Amino acid sequence: AVAALLDVLPLGPLELALGLLARSVAARHPGLFERLGRAATGKRLALRPTDLPLVLVLTVGPGSVELAVSRTLPGGLDGRIEGPFAALLGMLHGAFDGDALFFSRDILVEGDTEALLALRNALDAAEIDLAAEALAPLGPLGRPLGPALAQLARATGLPLVRSEVMR
């Protein structure tokens, strides 16, 4: 249903929202850029959920990150990670081991593996919870949504929140 919806909706509002989220994460986790180091700085890295009609392209700058959303894989990428949305989200939230997903061929890693590995390691070390990051700007209004998302994650098996929160 989500894939069908993304197929017809314009990507601009999603790109705006995800771009704001990416900049908020970068501001709240400044150590990310130290961990990314030179390996990822200046690189264009794509995350492509194979079960959704979109591609997320991260451009990592010194102390900043930009995010673009596209329906097709753009040219000029330095590297990409492809796999089911749940696998990509599960890697970010610590629910799945990226190495295990790679060796079981659940995800595809292609291009500048040093930059992609630096990105994965930086995100692992930061222990980011995208749900919490998205709700943070809502302040007290967002607090009741956190437990609801954790419950939804348990009910669906989708790693919508960090794995520690699901327990």
Side-chain angles (χ1 to χ4, degrees):
V2 173
L5 192 60
L6 287 172
D7 239 352
V8 295
L9 289 177
L11 294 180
L14 179 63
E15 182 174 72
L16 177 65
L18 291 177
L20 289 170
L21 178 61
R23 286 188 291 283
S24 173
V25 167
R28 292 168 51 95
H29 300 274
L32 271 173
F33 297 101
E34 289 175 26
R35 289 183 194 98
L36 285 169
R38 290 181 295 172
T41 301
K43 305 291 178 151
R44 290 184 68 226
L45 307 172
L47 302 172
R48 182 177 169 261
T50 54
D51 49 355
L52 295 177
L54 58 89
V55 178
L56 306 174
V57 178
L58 295 168
T59 303
V60 181
S64 70
V65 64
E66 293 298 321
L67 190 137
V69 180
S70 170
R71 292 199 196 282
T72 59
L73 204 60
L77 294 172
D78 294 296
R80 75 175 195 249
I81 301 174
E82 294 186 7
F85 178 69
L88 299 174
L89 195 56
M91 278 192 326
L92 175 67
H93 284 152
F96 305 136
D97 178 5
D99 292 336
L101 290 171
F102 173 75
F103 287 115
S104 66
R105 296 187 179 169
D106 289 314
I107 63 167
L108 167 75
V109 177
E110 194 170 86
D112 187 338
T113 52
E114 183 182 11
L116 292 166
L117 188 58
L119 176 64
R120 187 198 79 169
N121 290 341
L123 291 173
D124 280 350
E127 296 185 349
I128 293 169
D129 181 336
L130 279 183
E133 295 291 339
L135 296 175
L138 299 177
L141 297 175
R143 285 194 192 112
L145 296 175
L149 280 173
Q151 188 171 357
L152 181 63
R154 282 190 294 277
T156 62
L158 285 173
L160 301 172
V161 296
R162 264 204 86 70
S163 57
E164 300 85 35
V165 178
M166 286 181 66
R167 294 183 188 132

